[in-house]
Amino acid sequence: MIKRTLVRMTIWNSTVVFCLLVTLGGALYGLAHYRIYSDIDRHLVFNIDHMQQISLSNGEQVLNIDSKEPERFMMSFYWDSNDALIQSVYYKVPYIELSSMLREKQNHMRPESILVGKKTYRFVSRPYQGKLPIVEKLSNIPLKTIQIFTEISAEVYYLNRLLWCISIGIGVGALLSIIAGYALARRALIPIQKAWDKQQQFVADASHELRSPLSVVRGQTQILLRHPDHTIEEESAPISAILKETKRMSNMVDGLLLLARGDSHEEVISCTPVRIDGIIKEIAKKMEPIMDYKQLRVQLHVEGSELLMNGDENRLIQLFMILLDNAIKFTQADGQIDLECLRQGKSVLVTVKDNGVGISEHELPLVFNRFYKGDSSRSRGDHGAGLGLSIARWIVDQHQGTVHISSGVGCGTTVMIRFPVIS
């Protein structure tokens, strides 16, 4: 699925970039074409509309165009009523073919281009208005049409070169867009790939963790079915095992649902002012019987009173129960657990410290991963599904707090949690 998505994103990214290049290239060429041709057409129309006959100081009659702008090189054709070209000093042999083509276009009043051989000309036609007597003398019959044309081969050449350069640029840009689109798609899919891998690992771990209790339940049920005539008292051992594994599965499912709702932002923390010092004292009191049973000592230190913070009391109790439960599990008999709560500036610091087996340095970054249980020395016995610290970190994050764990093998573990307090 990821590979198919990668290909689709690459195609879409490349297509968008290619369309942008084509649009920009077309706009550039269109603008250049419009500016060049509009300038040429403006000169042609101005010249043919302002052509007049003037007298020089020596009495010579000449044709003149009243224009203050630099002139393009242009030539004029004059046609009589019989569509015959009137000769002038500007008429030369190379324009015979051009004149035969222009003869058919005397009624084209808008500027047009015409190709003669390898040269391109731009021309415009106008009906004769009787302003050029000197030209009239060249023919025995009345003039009918005036045409002005100019060669634009250079402009056409440079426009073609521009179009060629734009086409090459679009081709190179399309190739680069494919490479860049692929790279960007891969980069964009990195978090999706990680989420997908995490989900796959999550499903695999959940399936693995559920397989064991389900196998126990199935096995114990089969034992019960072997002796349908036995009483509950006689089969108390398999019933107890089934109950234990069912409870384990229930806790695991509850933890998974909590984390799933947290990932989808469906689990809402109901924050109200709570006394964090009171929660710590209550939990320490509740855990005393378990501490005595495990032959552990607990050292409670609460500095200050009425340490208020905005939080969900039930979730905070769940958080500290998870931390104390881990400390109890991994601390040997005659060990000690320190529980400390004190105010530091605008925050409250809660510390849970034990002198148990500890965590190796390479395992510390992994302890918050779901279903992570550590090495075999820490995984001996029934130590849950490995969701406790994941839930603990989620609760801390929901309360805008921070959590830090420091540990070493054989040196115990220290968990420090910091929450903002109400001023």
Side-chain angles (χ1 to χ4, degrees):
M1 185 188 74
I2 298 296
K3 291 183 178 180
R4 186 164 58 249
T5 304
L6 176 62
V7 172
R8 290 179 178 177
M9 290 184 65
T10 301
I11 293 175
W12 275 106
N13 290 339
S14 303
T15 301
V16 170
V17 174
F18 179 76
C19 291
L20 288 176
L21 290 175
V22 171
T23 302
L24 293 176
L28 176 61
Y29 178 79
L31 179 61
H33 185 279
Y34 170 78
R35 293 300 300 269
I36 291 175
Y37 274 79
S38 63
D39 183 67
I40 295 173
D41 294 344
R42 182 171 55 85
H43 280 83
L44 285 172
V45 172
F46 182 87
N47 289 349
I48 199 168
D49 289 341
H50 293 79
M51 185 181 296
Q52 60 184 345
Q53 180 178 329
I54 62 172
S55 300
L56 300 180
S57 58
N58 58 4
E60 183 181 357
Q61 300 290 321
V62 297
L63 300 178
N64 180 59
I65 298 175
D66 185 13
S67 175
K68 297 180 180 179
E69 299 182 11
E71 292 289 337
R72 294 178 58 89
F73 175 75
M74 299 185 181
M75 294 186 66
S76 303
F77 281 171
Y78 306 96
W79 304 91
D80 62 19
S81 301
N82 294 329
D83 293 336
L85 180 64
I86 300 177
Q87 301 284 337
S88 69
V89 294
Y90 299 106
Y91 181 74
K92 298 184 181 299
V93 174
Y95 299 109
I96 294 177
E97 184 179 357
L98 174 62
S99 65
S100 63
M101 299 177 69
L102 289 178
R103 179 182 290 111
E104 307 300 328
K105 298 179 179 292
Q106 295 182 53
N107 59 343
H108 292 201
M109 300 300 154
R110 297 180 61 85
E112 293 184 17
S113 298
I114 189 171
L115 181 64
V116 180
K118 295 183 179 181
K119 294 184 178 182
T120 304
Y121 298 89
R122 192 78 170 169
F123 75 95
V124 65
S125 304
R126 288 290 188 272
Y128 178 61
Q129 301 294 330
K131 298 180 180 180
L132 305 173
I134 189 174
V135 180
E136 293 180 10
K137 296 178 181 180
L138 300 176
S139 176
N140 296 326
I141 58 178
L143 294 179
K144 182 181 74 171
T145 307
I146 299 177
Q147 290 178 321
I148 288 185
F149 67 94
T150 184
E151 185 178 349
I152 60 170
S153 300
E155 287 82 353
V156 171
Y157 171 77
Y158 286 113
L159 281 175
N160 290 336
R161 290 292 299 271
L162 175 62
L163 182 60
W164 177 250
C165 292
I166 291 175
S167 301
I168 294 177
I170 291 175
V172 174
L175 179 61
L176 294 178
S177 69
I178 295 175
I179 299 174
Y182 179 79
L184 291 175
R186 282 184 60 88
R187 186 177 183 86
L189 286 175
I190 288 177
I192 300 177
Q193 180 71 54
K194 290 182 178 179
W196 175 261
D197 294 340
K198 186 177 180 180
Q199 179 185 7
Q200 295 297 103
Q201 184 64 37
F202 180 82
V203 172
D205 291 339
S207 301
H208 175 74
E209 292 296 331
L210 289 172
R211 185 181 295 113
S212 296
L214 286 174
S215 298
V216 173
V217 171
R218 183 175 60 184
Q220 296 297 331
T221 304
Q222 291 173 345
I223 292 176
L224 290 175
L225 293 176
R226 292 176 183 176
H227 308 284
D229 56 332
H230 283 191
T231 64
I232 295 178
E233 184 179 359
E234 291 175 326
E235 300 294 346
S236 59
I239 293 175
S240 177
I242 292 174
L243 182 61
K244 180 180 179 181
E245 294 302 323
T246 303
K247 183 178 179 181
R248 178 183 172 189
M249 283 191 294
S250 178
N251 292 334
M252 186 188 308
V253 171
D254 289 341
L256 292 175
L257 289 176
L258 175 64
L259 293 174
R261 288 194 296 266
D263 291 341
S264 61
H265 306 288
E266 294 180 5
E267 182 71 17
V268 179
I269 294 293
S270 178
C271 291
T272 58
V274 296
R275 288 185 53 182
I276 188 69
D277 57 307
I279 294 176
I280 296 298
K281 292 177 182 178
E282 181 182 354
I283 291 177
K285 185 176 181 180
K286 289 181 178 179
M287 297 298 289
E288 284 182 359
I290 301 178
M291 297 284 190
D292 294 338
Y293 178 77
K294 294 285 187 177
Q295 299 179 6
L296 299 175
R297 301 183 305 275
V298 59
Q299 185 70 34
L300 176 64
H301 174 68
V302 178
E303 184 177 307
S305 60
E306 295 188 2
L307 299 177
L308 289 175
M309 62 169 286
N310 284 319
D312 188 320
E313 184 173 356
N314 293 329
R315 292 304 179 195
L316 291 173
I317 292 175
Q318 182 182 11
L319 165 66
F320 298 126
M321 289 294 291
I322 290 173
L323 298 180
L324 281 175
D325 183 61
N326 283 343
I328 293 172
K329 286 178 180 177
F330 302 115
T331 302
Q332 299 174 349
D334 297 327
Q336 178 172 315
I337 297 175
D338 296 323
L339 186 58
E340 186 179 59
C341 177
L342 55 91
R343 180 165 183 167
Q344 291 184 346
K346 297 182 179 181
S347 62
V348 59
L349 178 64
V350 180
T351 303
V352 180
K353 181 180 180 182
D354 65 66
N355 58 357
V357 296
I359 307 171
S360 62
E361 183 178 354
H362 75 276
E363 286 185 300
L364 274 177
L366 307 175
V367 294
F368 290 112
N369 292 352
R370 298 173 187 181
F371 297 107
Y372 185 78
K373 296 183 180 181
D375 57 24
S376 57
S377 65
R378 288 178 53 85
S379 299
R380 64 187 186 277
D382 179 17
H383 289 158
L387 296 175
L389 287 179
S390 298
I391 296 174
R393 184 174 64 176
W394 177 81
I395 296 174
V396 172
D397 292 340
Q398 293 299 307
H399 287 82
Q400 288 78 50
T402 59
V403 57
H404 174 72
I405 296 182
S406 59
S407 183
V409 177
C411 301
T413 302
T414 301
V415 181
M416 293 181 292
I417 302 176
R418 192 179 299 273
F419 293 117
V421 295
I422 300 176
S423 301

